[in-house]
Amino acid sequence: MMRCKHCNREHPDDYKFCPVTGKELEQPLKACSNPNCDNFEKSILPAQAKFCPRCGQMIAGDDLSPESGETVFSVNGVEFEMVHVEGGSFDMGEEGNILAPLHRVTLSSYHIGKYPVTQQLWEMVMGDNPSTFKGPNRPVESVSWEDCQRFISKLNRLTRKKFKLPTEAQWEFAARGGNNSAGYEYSGSNDIYSVAWFEENSGYETYDVGELLPNELGIYDMSGNVFEWCSDHRSDLRVVRGGSFIYTCGVCNSYTSNPSNRSEDTGFRLCL
């Protein structure tokens, strides 16, 4: 994108002059995402820079290959992975489910977290760890929908990306395996024990992400471990999807919760 320094608007790469001010456009400057660097969050690096000249860290986002199916990001050395979900249409919900009735949905392509957000990533971005069941690679939990928004806002400043919570449709399409769906009852299998930590195998605690089998898209933990906040709302409540270590859940179950609620069985997953 090109930016006008006079009105601060962004325009397509092939624009040479701002259609609002008539001034010549410039490529936006970059900032370092290393909190220990003097260039942290200072937009002073040239657009073509791939590494910070002060600390040597790769500029956030330059390790992203739009053509690749799986993408890796890093925040001060803590990596997290996103999986490409090719757009398509599917029947969302199920017959007889009042909260999630059956209806046809069409989605554009997007990326979704390979795993739920971990405590390690949360702590690197936020500086604290609210989770009940501690472990760097366990999913962060005991976070409200509002907490997730604060985390995402800080993450986007660090990475200069536009991460968000998935919509309920994006979440379910990914959980079903997208265009590769085999129609399983759970995300990745008809055998819940192989893909989910739930009430009968969890010992009532969370586990490191990615320990069980993935679904058809290579995404983990969408039927268990922790419930996951979505961006959708119903009245004043926010949507929660998935399953958790104290419940059993398929791919169609949909719940709601107060956006300020914090629960030890609820975390979230990123979308881009």
Side-chain angles (χ1 to χ4, degrees):
M1 300 293 288
M2 302 293 284
R3 182 184 295 276
C4 176
K5 66 180 181 180
H6 299 276
C7 69
N8 205 34
R9 290 182 172 88
E10 290 188 342
H11 303 286
D13 289 335
D14 58 348
Y15 279 37
K16 294 187 180 298
F17 296 91
C18 176
V20 177
T21 66
K23 302 295 184 179
E24 189 171 0
L25 298 175
E26 300 176 347
Q27 287 188 321
L29 298 175
K30 293 181 178 179
C32 181
S33 59
N34 180 359
N36 299 317
C37 179
D38 290 341
N39 287 340
F40 176 59
E41 290 192 334
K42 296 178 181 177
S43 297
I44 58 175
L45 304 178
Q48 65 270 26
K50 293 186 178 296
F51 295 89
C52 176
R54 283 192 175 272
C55 69
Q57 177 162 309
M58 179 178 283
I59 304 301
D62 281 334
D63 54 344
L64 171 63
S65 172
E67 293 78 24
S68 64
E70 195 169 281
T71 56
V72 180
F73 295 84
S74 177
V75 177
N76 201 23
V78 176
E79 293 187 346
F80 60 101
E81 298 180 56
M82 305 291 288
V83 173
H84 179 74
V85 182
E86 188 69 27
S89 299
F90 75 112
D91 292 322
M92 181 176 174
E94 59 185 349
E95 292 184 6
N97 189 326
I98 297 176
L99 291 178
L102 189 66
H103 60 290
R104 192 72 173 168
V105 174
T106 298
L107 294 172
S108 301
S109 299
Y110 58 98
H111 287 78
I112 196 165
K114 185 174 184 177
Y115 312 103
V117 170
T118 63
Q119 295 175 33
Q120 180 177 222
L121 179 58
W122 178 280
E123 193 163 358
M124 180 56 66
V125 173
M126 302 298 286
D128 62 11
N129 184 359
S131 304
T132 301
F133 303 100
K134 294 291 196 291
N137 291 316
R138 294 191 186 202
V140 67
E141 25 86 0
S142 301
V143 291
S144 69
W145 186 91
E146 294 164 346
D147 293 333
C148 296
Q149 299 307 310
R150 286 188 281 271
F151 169 89
I152 290 171
S153 178
K154 290 193 70 173
L155 179 66
N156 286 344
R157 289 200 299 272
L158 291 171
T159 61
R160 301 179 68 82
K161 297 297 179 184
K162 296 181 180 179
F163 291 103
K164 59 182 180 178
L165 290 177
T167 65
E168 190 173 8
Q170 288 173 326
W171 191 98
E172 185 172 323
F173 188 54
R176 289 178 177 272
N179 294 323
N180 299 333
S181 177
Y184 293 129
E185 182 177 0
Y186 307 103
S187 183
S189 178
N190 288 324
D191 173 21
I192 190 172
Y193 288 89
S194 68
V195 293
W197 296 111
F198 69 114
E199 59 183 341
E200 293 184 12
N201 66 354
S202 68
Y204 292 93
E205 63 176 313
T206 61
Y207 287 80
D208 284 1
V209 300
E211 286 197 345
L212 299 178
L213 296 177
N215 73 357
E216 300 93 317
L217 293 175
I219 305 171
Y220 292 79
D221 296 311
M222 297 196 83
S223 286
N225 222 355
V226 291
F227 290 120
E228 299 178 12
W229 289 106
C230 290
S231 62
D232 303 65
H233 66 89
R234 300 192 188 112
S235 186
D236 294 330
L237 302 178
R238 292 290 173 172
V239 171
V240 178
R241 297 300 302 260
S244 85
F245 64 90
I246 55 176
Y247 290 99
T248 300
C249 188
V251 295
C252 297
N253 299 71
S254 178
Y255 310 93
T256 56
S257 182
N258 189 295
S260 63
N261 281 352
R262 298 185 178 101
S263 175
E264 65 185 12
D265 69 346
T266 304
F268 67 106
R269 189 179 303 260
L270 294 169
C271 184
L272 183 64

